[in-house]
Amino acid sequence: RERDWSSDVCSSDLFKQNQTKETVNFMKNSRSKKLLLVLITLSVLLPTFASCSEKPVDETTADTTAPAAESDVSALSETETEAEDTELLPDIPKLDFEGRTFTILTSGLNDTNGKDWITYDVYAESINGEPINDAVFERNEYLNSTYNIKLAEYQTQKDTLSELKTEVTANTGAFQAAMTHFENGATLSRQGALMDMYSLPYIDVTKPWWDHSGVEALEVMGSLYQATGDITVIDNDATWVLFFNKQMREDLQLDNLYDLVRENKWDFDKFYELLSVAPLDVNADGKMSYKDDRYGMITSDQSGYGLLYASGISLLVPDKDEVFKIDSDFEKLSSVVDAAAKIMADQNMTFITTREGSTSDSVRQAFEEGRGLFFGEVMQCATRMRSSDTDFGLIPWPKYELTQDRYYNWIHSSAGRGVVIPTSVQKGDYEMVGAIVEAMAAKSMYTLTKAYYDKSFTYKSLRDEDSVEMLEIVLQSRSYDLSNIYAINLNSRVLSCIVNGNGKLASEWKSGSKLANKLLSRAVKDLEEVKANTNN
């Protein structure tokens, strides 16, 4: 079905009224403060700024993290307020597209992973008081009025991969952009079905509204066929995180987990230490079951990836000369796999989905009912647990070793979304597509992304400010699994060694590398042909 909202009138006052005073103050003192520091720095270099926000600021809220003279506090408050009211604009001239339609293809019920991953951040019919809905409406109305376009969404009843293939073959120009998951993006790019985003005017992936680590990972042969960032929040939902039971942590008198993260004391060893304290045969029947007993962690086997990539390892890495190459640091990989297997393969300490006929929903329910200290899953589960009586917190996956430069949090490649541009876009629409995609991403940084934090805090998906602080760390430290995205399949062999703890990494790596190199050669050949055809 196709939807449009060009006839609606955006009411910025109504939108502002839906933002609670507490949420504004919270955003001012947490994520927005870090973003504002970036904007202040950029303002020295970039003169093209405009004041676009008039939201109220509670001037009585002061930063008390360090002693300061009264004048210093006042000066800081004024600086923050000024920066918060300054919006970085994209480098796009004044354009009028004369009411042309800009249609975005999105995921419906039958797309990958089903109902939980239906696109919800592209269209909003009207303001209704829900943060993300209202942010989407405000953003879209801004784009409609600024560029004189008619934004429309086509939510597929099939799947976006087959829909895009059909559209590119038919070459009708029905969609100007699409939101699809990273594996689809890789498949379509190999088939020559996607435009190189670098070839479009106005798109500048160096700007803060694009995920720079994603750009670095997904760029191939100097081309970028898919990208993500503030333009969507479903990639946030798809990021693998660790939830924990706050009451159980207190009852077991364990360390403050938030402080472990802040003080750089959160690593595999500490994680294992805490996990080993929690298991309990509650019904004393001499065997462990997720239906009755308590575990250190309950999760799916995908947390094996969470641990693997938390080490900073990338099985397949971009390479300027070879396009891609398989990471050859086998010694480190072997150590990481052994440490991860110690956690994942202990069936008395960690319960994994599918054992005992369990499902992802029943395992999540077990966590909500207090039978797991930790729960490893995608961020979206915070929303699924919003009505839970269990008080839970959120932290990033631990570092393999504390000397790592940062935390790494894996983004699920068949759930996370990016924006792609089909090659069926008509040449006369190139300027519009480049401008609207860039403008949509830019405006989303001030509307959609902010609303994602508003929803997490105000609507109790997360239960405390500490967890929202941790969420920011998670979303700023994501990693992409290129082995899975490009179907090289080396990752699945490593995962089996982690989950089963079978000590067969050397043999799996040897045989898996042979197949992986063949699959990699095919992928590279496909991409080289696409590049050659594009240049011709």
Side-chain angles (χ1 to χ4, degrees):
R1 61 189 177 282
E2 185 168 318
R3 306 161 172 169
D4 72 79
W5 48 84
S6 59
S7 61
D8 294 323
V9 177
C10 177
S11 172
S12 60
D13 289 337
L14 179 57
F15 178 80
K16 293 171 191 173
Q17 291 168 9
N18 290 324
Q19 308 305 303
T20 65
K21 182 177 180 181
E22 290 80 4
T23 301
V24 171
N25 289 339
F26 169 71
M27 290 300 297
K28 174 173 175 283
N29 288 318
S30 59
R31 182 179 189 274
S32 60
K33 184 180 293 183
K34 295 181 181 178
L35 175 60
L36 297 176
L37 291 177
V38 175
L39 298 183
I40 293 170
T41 302
L42 287 170
S43 67
V44 176
L45 302 174
L46 299 171
T48 313
F49 287 83
S51 178
C52 301
S53 172
E54 298 178 355
K55 56 181 175 289
V57 177
D58 185 351
E59 296 180 355
T60 64
T61 301
D63 188 343
T64 58
T65 55
E70 182 177 351
S71 59
D72 293 336
V73 173
S74 176
L76 177 60
S77 177
E78 291 175 3
T79 301
E80 287 183 354
T81 301
E82 180 181 355
E84 189 171 2
D85 287 342
T86 303
E87 183 172 322
L88 178 62
L89 299 177
D91 296 329
I92 302 173
K94 185 175 181 180
L95 297 171
D96 184 341
F97 293 112
E98 301 177 339
R100 285 150 67 188
T101 298
F102 187 97
T103 303
I104 303 174
L105 173 69
T106 63
S107 297
L109 177 64
N110 298 315
D111 205 355
T112 306
N113 299 322
K115 64 181 179 65
D116 290 325
W117 297 94
I118 294 174
T119 301
Y120 65 93
D121 56 2
V122 166
Y123 166 80
E125 183 175 355
S126 60
I127 285 177
N128 65 9
E130 195 280 323
I132 288 182
N133 175 90
D134 293 359
V136 170
F137 184 83
E138 181 195 29
R139 176 198 66 194
N140 295 342
E141 282 300 308
Y142 169 83
L143 296 173
N144 282 335
S145 61
T146 302
Y147 298 99
N148 190 15
I149 60 168
K150 179 182 178 182
L151 273 166
E153 176 190 45
Y154 181 81
Q155 196 172 87
T156 179
Q157 298 302 303
K158 299 185 293 184
D159 61 271
T160 51
L161 179 61
S162 62
E163 193 87 58
L164 282 164
K165 286 181 178 180
T166 300
E167 160 57 19
V168 168
T169 300
N171 198 35
T172 65
F175 315 125
Q176 282 65 55
M179 294 291 186
T180 192
H181 64 69
F182 301 120
E183 294 170 22
N184 284 350
T187 298
L188 291 163
S189 66
R190 290 175 60 175
Q191 296 173 351
L194 299 180
M195 291 192 67
D196 178 3
M197 294 177 69
Y198 291 152
S199 70
L200 292 167
Y202 310 123
I203 293 180
D204 183 354
V205 295
T206 67
K207 293 296 178 66
W209 39 80
W210 294 108
D211 183 344
H212 298 158
S213 62
V215 171
E216 182 180 356
L218 298 170
E219 181 183 301
V220 57
M221 296 183 186
S223 295
L224 186 68
Y225 299 105
Q226 56 181 325
T228 191
D230 292 290
I231 197 168
T232 178
V233 292
I234 295 180
D235 58 337
N236 298 345
D237 286 348
T239 303
W240 209 257
V241 300
L242 263 179
F243 301 100
F244 69 93
N245 185 311
K246 293 166 70 174
Q247 186 61 54
M248 191 182 301
R249 184 205 67 80
E250 292 182 11
D251 292 344
L252 295 173
Q253 299 181 357
L254 304 178
D255 297 279
N256 183 308
L257 297 177
Y258 300 128
D259 287 343
L260 289 177
V261 174
R262 294 177 182 122
E263 297 168 7
N264 194 36
K265 297 178 180 178
W266 182 229
D267 63 0
F268 278 27
D269 290 339
K270 175 58 71 172
F271 188 32
Y272 181 81
E273 175 189 320
L274 300 182
L275 286 169
S276 62
V277 173
L280 180 66
D281 182 5
V282 176
N283 60 8
D285 65 353
K287 59 181 180 180
M288 294 291 288
S289 170
Y290 86 104
K291 297 178 181 179
D292 303 298
D293 303 316
R294 190 178 73 195
Y295 288 84
M297 177 168 62
I298 52 180
T299 186
S300 77
D301 62 354
Q302 302 291 285
S303 281
Y305 288 138
L307 289 166
L308 174 66
Y309 298 121
S311 69
I313 280 178
S314 298
L315 299 180
L316 185 65
V317 295
D319 182 81
K320 291 182 179 179
D321 298 323
E322 303 177 41
V323 183
F324 296 114
K325 67 178 181 181
I326 296 174
D327 194 330
S328 59
D329 191 350
F330 182 78
E331 182 178 351
K332 179 180 179 181
L333 175 63
S334 181
S335 297
V336 170
V337 168
D338 287 346
K342 186 179 178 181
I343 292 169
M344 291 292 293
D346 187 332
Q347 296 192 27
N348 290 320
M349 186 170 67
T350 301
F351 183 84
I352 296 178
T353 305
T354 70
R355 293 176 185 165
E356 301 181 39
S358 61
T359 65
S360 58
D361 287 336
S362 62
V363 167
R364 186 185 73 248
Q365 183 179 354
F367 174 73
E368 293 183 67
E369 294 175 354
R371 294 195 294 280
L373 173 61
F374 289 98
F375 176 45
E377 253 293 355
V378 289
M379 177 59 198
Q380 192 194 74
C381 282
T383 300
R384 300 180 202 175
M385 297 189 294
R386 188 164 63 190
S387 61
S388 173
D389 293 331
T390 297
D391 192 10
F392 60 86
L394 167 76
I395 53 174
W397 283 88
K399 296 180 178 181
Y400 167 60
E401 49 192 358
L402 296 177
T403 55
Q404 287 177 205
D405 59 340
R406 63 180 177 89
Y407 293 98
Y408 290 85
N409 295 271
W410 168 63
I411 181 170
H412 201 291
S413 54
S414 69
R417 297 292 194 271
V419 60
V420 301
I421 313 300
T423 53
S424 56
V425 168
Q426 305 301 297
K427 288 185 178 181
D429 286 339
Y430 285 1
E431 182 178 41
M432 178 178 70
V433 171
I436 300 306
V437 167
E438 180 74 0
M440 187 174 186
K443 194 64 178 178
S444 293
M445 186 169 77
Y446 298 94
T447 53
L448 183 61
T449 295
K450 178 188 179 300
Y452 192 80
Y453 283 85
D454 287 351
K455 177 181 178 182
S456 297
F457 185 62
T458 307
Y459 282 71
K460 305 302 181 184
S461 294
L462 297 180
R463 309 302 176 89
D464 55 58
E465 294 186 21
D466 294 306
S467 287
V468 182
E469 177 191 344
M470 296 296 112
L471 174 60
E472 183 178 2
I473 293 173
V474 167
L475 297 182
Q476 290 180 348
S477 59
R478 293 187 301 192
S479 62
Y480 293 74
D481 178 8
L482 292 181
S483 176
N484 198 46
I485 290 174
Y486 282 94
I488 305 304
N489 298 329
L490 190 58
N491 58 322
S492 61
R493 290 176 176 265
V494 175
L495 180 66
S496 68
C497 296
I498 292 174
V499 173
N500 299 318
N502 54 23
K504 296 181 179 180
L505 179 64
S507 59
E508 288 286 350
W509 185 260
K510 183 177 180 180
S511 59
S513 294
K514 292 180 180 179
L515 175 60
N517 277 311
K518 290 180 180 179
L519 295 173
L520 187 56
S521 295
R522 293 176 192 170
V524 170
K525 182 179 179 181
D526 289 343
L527 291 164
E528 286 176 340
E529 290 179 355
V530 169
K531 193 75 173 178
N533 291 335
T534 302
N535 291 336
N536 291 334

